[in-house]
């Protein structure tokens, strides 16, 4: 039956990786057309024995050809939406329009849009003067700021804003990888994948666990083995983090290592705060979150007073 098929494929899927139905569509067509000799699917279609003609994209010609035979148009990776709209406009005035369909030749896997972000950041790093001059040090404040904004949206319960803020954090990660001369974003992803697999032997290995507490215990054992016997119990603790969360993390590490009780004592300024952090930690409460919640309540009370007549 005469008709026109737009064969679309994702730019995030390797060329030639088409579905079986897409290959069948190509092989059974009277004519297969493409608008550019640089179309990424061209060499693979030709290797498969499909004859592809390169022509100027023209809606009227496509409609005319589709009225007398089966025509497949290899859509541009960007979609050729303008051409499709032009074809649709021409069909409105026809008494017996040819059949038009869109066949999706390749589908994105979960996470495929991440490739778009990598491509955009590569372009910005190359072509934008501001992005080009950034360093790890100059970007560090933005990473902290974006991370705090994520926490803010979580505590505020704004899930739509959370989606956007997580994107800002993800952008910072890709930006740092793009700035680096020593590693790529693939190296970053490879490293975290290896770590997650290594520290989840109950998922990716033959270890059996009873509950989440046992998962945490195994995680700590694996992490300690990775650090080595000579590593400090505080290895990897970022000292630049906010003081309350720093004190909390140091105390948790010390408690797990069985640090003597007398080492927790301190007569300097800040000792009372340090002791308060310990009390909250023992009660299962997050000192940083508690103080932040109190700050929010104070802000709300002041704003209510300002708004009242």
């Amino acid at each position: 039956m005469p008709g026109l098929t737009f064969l679309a494929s994702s730019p995030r899927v390797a060329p030639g990786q088409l579905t079986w139905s897409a290959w069948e569509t190509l092989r059974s067509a009277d004519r297969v057309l493409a608008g550019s000799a640089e179309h990424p699917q061209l060499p693979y279609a030709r290797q498969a024995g499909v004859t592809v003609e390169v022509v100027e994209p023209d809606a009227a010609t496509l409609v005319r050809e589709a009225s007398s035979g089966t025509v497949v148009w290899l859509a541009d990776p960007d979609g050729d939406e303008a051409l499709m709209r032009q074809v649709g406009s021409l069909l409105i005035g026809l008494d017996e329009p040819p059949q038009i369909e869109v066949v999706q030749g390749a589908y994105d896997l979960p996470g495929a849009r991440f490739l778009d972000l990598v491509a955009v950041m590569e372009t910005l790093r190359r072509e934008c003067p501001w992005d080009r001059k950034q360093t790890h040090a100059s970007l560090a404040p933005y990473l902290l700021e974006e991370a705090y904004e994520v926490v803010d949206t979580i505590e505020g319960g704004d899930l739509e804003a959370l989606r956007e803020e997580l994107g800002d954090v993800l952008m910072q990660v890709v930006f740092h990888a793009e700035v680096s001369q020593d590693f790529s974003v693939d190296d970053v992803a490879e490293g975290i994948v290896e770590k997650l697999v290594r520290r989840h032997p109950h998922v990716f290995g033959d270890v059996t666990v009873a509950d989440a507490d046992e998962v945490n215990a195994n995680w700590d054992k694996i992490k300690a083995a990775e650090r080595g016997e000579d590593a400090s119990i505080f290895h990897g603790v970022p000292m630049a983090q906010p003081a309350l969360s720093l004190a909390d993390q140091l105390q948790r590490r010390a408690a797990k290592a069985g640090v003597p009780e007398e080492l927790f004592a301190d007569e300097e300024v800040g000792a009372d705060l340090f002791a308060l952090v310990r009390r909250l930690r023992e009660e299962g409460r997050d000192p940083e979150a508690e103080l932040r919640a109190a700050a929010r309540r104070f802000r709300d009370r002041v704003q209510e007073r300002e708004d009242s007549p």
Side-chain angles (χ1 to χ4, degrees):
M1 180 179 178
L4 172 62
T5 298
F6 283 89
L7 182 60
S9 57
S10 170
R12 292 169 289 279
V13 177
Q17 302 298 310
L18 300 176
T19 63
W20 179 254
S21 62
W23 283 117
E24 286 293 288
T25 299
L26 287 172
R27 291 191 178 98
S28 62
D30 294 325
R31 298 183 69 188
V32 178
L33 309 176
S36 169
E38 304 301 320
H39 195 292
Q41 300 293 352
L42 263 182
Y44 302 95
R46 287 170 173 167
Q47 286 176 19
V50 177
T51 299
V52 182
E53 304 170 56
V54 178
V55 300
E56 284 294 325
D58 181 74
T61 301
L62 288 178
V63 171
R64 184 173 60 253
E65 294 292 333
S67 298
S68 58
T70 56
V71 178
V72 173
W73 177 262
L74 288 180
D76 185 90
D78 291 332
D80 273 340
E81 292 184 11
L83 181 62
M84 293 176 66
R85 284 195 297 268
Q86 292 170 7
V87 168
S89 298
L90 292 174
L91 294 178
I92 296 175
L94 298 180
D95 294 332
E96 296 183 9
Q99 180 178 340
I100 307 293
E101 67 174 331
V102 177
V103 171
Q104 189 66 38
Y107 296 90
D108 289 343
L109 294 173
R113 297 305 298 237
F114 180 73
L115 300 177
D116 291 345
L117 174 59
V118 173
V120 167
M121 293 310 302
E122 287 177 347
T123 301
L124 291 177
R125 180 67 172 169
R126 184 175 60 251
E127 299 182 10
C128 174
W130 187 89
D131 290 271
R132 195 163 50 237
K133 76 174 187 178
Q134 298 310 306
T135 65
H136 293 302
S138 68
L139 289 173
Y142 299 107
L143 179 57
L144 286 174
E145 179 181 333
E146 301 298 355
Y148 283 130
E149 288 183 5
V150 167
V151 175
D152 197 45
T153 56
I154 290 173
E155 292 180 345
D158 189 344
L159 296 183
E160 183 60 31
L162 176 61
R163 172 179 174 272
E164 179 179 348
E165 298 302 341
L166 287 173
D168 290 340
V169 171
L170 185 59
M171 185 271 285
Q172 290 296 320
V173 173
V174 176
F175 204 160
H176 276 278
E178 191 63 33
V179 166
S180 175
Q181 299 296 316
D182 301 314
F183 57 82
S184 68
V185 70
D186 285 326
D187 297 323
V188 173
E190 179 184 32
I192 190 59
V193 166
E194 290 178 351
K195 180 186 290 186
L196 289 173
V197 171
R198 188 171 62 247
R199 293 187 184 179
H200 289 80
H202 56 287
V203 176
F204 302 103
D206 55 5
V207 173
T208 301
V209 294
D211 51 30
D213 289 338
E214 198 166 335
V215 170
N216 285 333
N218 281 343
W219 179 285
D220 289 338
K221 289 178 183 177
I222 296 170
K223 191 172 182 179
E226 292 171 355
R227 288 198 302 262
E229 295 180 359
D230 298 330
S232 165
I233 62 172
F234 297 135
H235 175 79
V237 175
M239 299 300 291
Q241 64 182 300
L244 281 178
S245 57
L246 172 62
D248 182 34
Q249 190 172 4
L250 291 174
Q251 289 182 16
R252 281 188 281 111
R253 288 280 189 95
K256 287 180 180 179
V259 169
E261 189 73 21
E262 60 268 18
L263 293 184
F264 283 89
D266 186 358
E267 299 301 325
E268 298 293 331
V269 174
D272 290 341
L273 276 176
F274 197 78
L276 178 59
V277 168
R278 187 181 184 192
R279 193 195 84 192
L280 291 171
R281 181 180 57 80
E282 291 173 347
E283 294 175 0
R285 296 156 69 185
D286 181 345
E288 188 75 20
E290 293 287 340
L291 182 57
R292 198 160 49 242
R296 283 177 174 275
R297 291 193 297 270
F298 173 73
R299 179 202 62 187
D300 293 343
R301 289 196 302 271
V302 172
Q303 288 180 342
E304 288 176 5
R305 183 175 183 275
E306 290 176 338
D307 294 340
S308 62

